[in-house]
Amino acid sequence: MLKNSQYLASDTDVLHVANMMTRFGWGDGTNECEKDIQCDLLEEDAGHCVDPSRLPYKERLRWHFKQFCYKTSSHGIPMLGQAPNLLYRAIWIFLLLMCAGTFIYQACSVVEKYQRMDKITDIQLKFDTAPFPAITICNLNPYKDSLLQNVQTIKKILNVFNDVMEKAGQNNMNREREEPPEAKDEEAEKGGEAKRRRKRAAAMFEPAYSDCECAEEDGVVECTANTTNKPSTEKMCLCAFDRDSGDAWPCYPRDTWNEEMCDFCDDHNYCTKQATSITSVKSSERKPCLCQKFDPFCVAFDSTIDILKLWEYYGNIKIDDAKVLEALGFKDMNDEVAIVTKAKENIIFAMSKLSRNQRIALSIQKHQLLHKCSFNGIACDIDRDFLIIDDPTFGNCFMFNHNRTEIKSSLRAGPMYGLRILVYVNATEYLPTTEAVGIRITIHDKDDYPFPDTFGYSAPTGYISSFGMRMSRMSRLPAPYGDCVPNGLTTNYIYEGFRYSTEGCYRTCFQDLVVKDCGCGDPRFPVLKGAQHCEVFNPDSRKCLERRTNDLSNVHGSFRCRCQQPCDQSVYTVSYSAAKWPSQSLNISLGNCNLSPEECNEHYQENGAMIEVFYEALNFEVFSESEAYGVVKMLADFGGQLGLWSGVSFLTCCEFVFLFLETIYMVFHHHYIQYKKRKQEEEDALNNY
């Protein structure tokens, strides 16, 4: 060392000095190896040891990390600590970083795979006796026609329905009778007189006002009727109208018709002012008529009756009736199928205002529909085995196997060991809105509401209908693996007493939206307590309900219902076959028939049916979901990646944890000692002052 150079503390090799002092027994460190803070002791030849707690703070940390590099069980890190030169150390740093990066990438993939919560579905075919489901049977006709005549609201709806159907039929008949343009052109060329004669030959005339478009030709004004338009005073004309054909012809301006007394009127109400016979006609036999001055045409006229207005006859009716038509949805309807569908909906709306007991009394009763029954070859107890379900669409329905504490099962496969029911629908009591004769059958779990309008099967009368079924059980995983509803329970479920189902959830969600927006509920579904159904003759409520229904069916609408599947569910697959029933040789009592056997057989074919519901085989499928990648598999893959790229085991991870904790302790302990030292110096300074 040069004479004038300065010696710095950083130039001292502290570890070397500590080793020398320990070797020669200098200082307080002699044989004091029991310290609280030391990872290990570096032993030398003489049995002396280095106490790391006596080293300066930074050197102690450096010594601590270096000792960890020497002794850790992780692969690669000891090679880094024992590197003889800088190049060798740089190579190992590069390898360690590359392996660490690869491990992090693979570890993220493992965690991502676990977070997907994948599941697998196991399918098993069990050869065992499956429990028999609940069977709900409904008449396709919801209520008796004779009893509904006493309900004024229903009677009014049916009267409007009959009028609308009649007018729709007349309009359709008129369209069918319209001639093609070519025929009309030929008729025009032949002259108006031939057309008039042909019209008069088959018509039953009466005077009627109409909206017209008039044109004058050769001094004669002739008009064309627009029967559905309400005319202005200038465009009103008078026509000879035939109700059967719907023809309004000929038409002339109203002021060209004169009231006369005609000598003769034929069966078509076509009249002549003067009789052609030489025999004089008595004045008492003459009849009032309307004649027009351009054409010698007269039509019988009764002055005591108002002249028919065609715009009212064809739909532009009085304001009160117009409101009724608008509320019932019949306005501008000409399609008979659509009219019948709307009439069914109106009956549901009207019946929702009656109490449940009133609705049950107006529908078919249990013993009126169900005449004979057997299960497993043993006669049923119709009163005990069938429960009444009040359905808005089908009226009284009857559920077999409704007792949830009793388990019924078929002894064997086939129709002889299933449910066999003889039903009598009594078609003479069908409403004019009921389009088919037969029954509706629904197969479901006894805990579920049947929903016959959605999941039911129709069976006609005059046939023996066989429904063979197979059962499949679904067992789904709840969150986080799936989104099914566990235990079948939800809040605000409108079908009280029944288990949750997806269809019931959608109806509950829709009903909740309708009640909030319209102030009343859809009568096709139950409502929650405190709410009421919409009025049948309230056009505002009906329009609001129609808007919400369209919004639900619109894929771009603002309203959405999210309904999950139940976690546990039974699904029934049904196959159907039928044969004519009854046979000529069958002698069975059904309904009331006092006619000959042939006539009674025909009566049974129109009003009766035999229903069979059975298992096709005594086995069923079980679909069960299980986790595909659980915590155990994730830890196994995580450990495999860790061992592959770093040679690290669980105990190695513990070594790193202890290294981290010891380092934290050393840092805090050092700063705590420094803090106490400063406080002591401040106190000493104050005392000396």
Side-chain angles (χ1 to χ4, degrees), residues 447-460:
D447 296 334
D448 297 338
Y449 188 82
F451 301 110
D453 56 330
T454 303
F455 302 123
Y457 301 89
S458 296

Side-chain angles (χ1 to χ4, degrees), residues 94-140:
F94 172 76
L95 292 175
L96 287 174
L97 291 177
M98 183 183 68
C99 291
T102 306
F103 163 72
I104 292 174
Y105 174 77
Q106 296 293 341
C108 292
S109 300
V110 170
V111 174
E112 181 183 0
K113 183 178 180 180
Y114 173 75
Q115 290 179 342
R116 287 202 303 264
M117 298 298 173
D118 293 334
K119 54 191 176 184
I120 56 177
T121 302
D122 298 326
I123 303 177
Q124 296 180 351
L125 182 62
K126 290 191 175 183
F127 292 87
D128 196 359
T129 301
F132 202 80
I135 310 297
T136 299
I137 298 175
C138 311
N139 192 351
L140 290 181

Side-chain angles (χ1 to χ4, degrees), residues 227-459:
T227 57
T228 58
N229 295 339
K230 185 175 182 179
S232 61
T233 305
E234 297 79 11
K235 300 183 66 174
M236 184 180 292
C237 66
L238 188 65
C239 305
F241 179 65
D242 177 24
R243 290 178 183 258
D244 292 336
S245 64
D247 291 333
W249 187 89
C251 298
Y252 295 95
R254 184 176 55 176
D255 55 1
T256 63
W257 291 82
N258 298 319
E259 187 174 347
E260 304 284 352
M261 296 297 294
C262 293
D263 292 343
F264 174 77
C265 293
D266 61 12
D267 294 337
H268 305 292
N269 286 340
Y270 170 66
C271 304
T272 56
K273 289 191 291 184
Q274 294 182 353
T276 57
S277 174
I278 59 174
T279 304
S280 62
V281 179
K282 297 180 180 180
S283 60
S284 60
E285 295 178 354
R286 304 182 73 186
K287 296 181 179 180
C289 59
L290 289 175
C291 301
Q292 48 84 26
K293 61 183 181 180
F294 296 112
D295 184 25
F297 181 83
C298 299
V299 61
F301 167 65
D302 187 354
S303 59
T304 62
I305 300 176
D306 293 336
I307 296 178
L308 180 67
K309 298 179 177 63
L310 293 184
W311 61 91
E312 293 182 359
Y313 180 79
Y314 280 110
N316 292 329
I317 57 177
K318 297 179 181 179
I319 184 64
D320 293 339
D321 293 337
K323 290 182 178 179
V324 172
L325 280 182
E326 181 182 3
L328 296 180
F330 291 135
K331 189 176 181 181
D332 300 328
M333 268 195 174
N334 292 316
D335 188 293
E336 288 92 336
V337 175
I339 293 173
V340 171
T341 303
K342 183 60 68 173
K344 291 181 179 180
E345 178 184 302
N346 291 326
I347 292 176
I348 294 175
F349 272 71
M351 295 301 294
S352 67
K353 291 302 178 182
L354 302 181
S355 66
R356 182 176 184 271
N357 292 334
Q358 288 176 316
R359 293 194 300 269
I360 291 176
L362 293 173
S363 185
I364 193 168
Q365 301 304 305
K366 186 182 297 185
H367 284 278
Q368 293 173 348
L369 179 66
L370 309 174
H371 279 239
K372 313 288 181 182
C373 171
S374 70
F375 179 72
N376 272 334
I378 302 175
C380 303
D381 185 344
I382 294 179
D383 291 323
R384 184 180 66 88
D385 292 339
F386 288 87
L387 175 70
I388 294 180
I389 301 293
D390 175 32
D391 186 76
T393 304
F394 295 101
N396 287 350
C397 298
F398 306 97
M399 182 193 296
F400 173 78
N401 192 21
H402 62 89
N403 191 347
R404 300 178 186 179
T405 61
E406 180 183 1
I407 299 177
K408 294 181 180 292
S409 59
S410 296
L411 299 178
R412 297 180 185 176
M416 298 300 296
Y417 297 93
L419 177 66
R420 305 184 78 239
I421 307 176
L422 189 61
V423 297
Y424 183 81
V425 300
N426 193 7
T428 59
E429 286 284 3
Y430 270 38
L431 295 172
T433 56
T434 303
E435 300 170 281
V437 180
I439 68 164
R440 189 80 167 176
I441 179 174
T442 310
I443 302 172
H444 58 98
D445 277 347
K446 61 180 68 177
D447 296 334
D448 297 338
Y449 188 82
F451 301 110
D453 56 330
T454 303
F455 302 123
Y457 301 89
S458 296

Side-chain angles (χ1 to χ4, degrees), residues 481-660:
Y481 298 97
D483 58 352
C484 66
V485 178
N487 303 323
L489 298 176
T490 57
T491 57
N492 297 331
Y493 192 62
I494 59 177
Y495 293 95
E496 296 183 3
F498 293 95
R499 186 174 57 183
Y500 168 90
S501 66
T502 307
E503 179 66 21
C505 172
Y506 274 112
R507 298 189 182 195
T508 301
C509 178
F510 174 74
Q511 191 72 293
D512 184 60
L513 172 78
V514 171
V515 171
K516 289 180 180 178
D517 289 358
C518 304
C520 57
D522 190 337
R524 289 165 290 194
F525 313 135
V527 293
L528 295 173
K529 293 181 179 179
Q532 60 181 358
H533 288 113
C534 296
E535 297 283 349
V536 62
F537 294 113
N538 188 335
D540 295 333
S541 299
R542 299 293 296 270
K543 287 181 179 179
C544 178
L545 178 58
E546 184 177 358
R547 285 196 304 269
R548 285 304 165 200
T549 303
N550 295 334
D551 192 21
L552 179 63
S553 61
N554 185 6
V555 295
H556 301 293
S558 59
F559 173 59
R560 290 290 181 272
C561 284
R562 186 174 184 272
C563 292
Q564 299 86 5
Q565 295 283 349
C567 291
D568 297 308
Q569 183 182 19
S570 296
V571 179
Y572 298 93
T573 304
V574 179
S575 60
Y576 172 76
S577 61
K580 291 192 67 175
W581 178 93
S583 65
Q584 296 294 331
S585 60
L586 182 64
N587 183 16
I588 191 169
S589 174
L590 178 64
N592 297 319
C593 183
N594 299 320
L595 305 175
S596 64
E598 292 78 10
E599 293 174 327
C600 287
N601 196 294
E602 183 179 354
H603 175 74
Y604 297 157
Q605 288 181 350
E606 294 177 355
N607 296 275
M610 176 68 75
I611 306 299
E612 296 178 335
V613 184
F614 56 91
Y615 276 118
E616 294 179 337
L618 291 183
N619 56 55
F620 57 95
E621 291 179 326
V622 178
F623 297 83
S624 57
E625 293 181 348
S626 59
E627 61 178 9
Y629 194 75
V631 177
V632 175
K633 292 183 179 180
M634 183 193 69
L635 292 178
D637 289 348
F638 193 85
Q641 296 294 335
L642 200 60
L644 175 64
W645 298 106
S646 301
V648 175
S649 65
F650 177 76
L651 294 178
T652 306
C653 294
C654 293
E655 293 176 4
F656 280 94
V657 171
F658 276 95
L659 172 65
F660 175 76

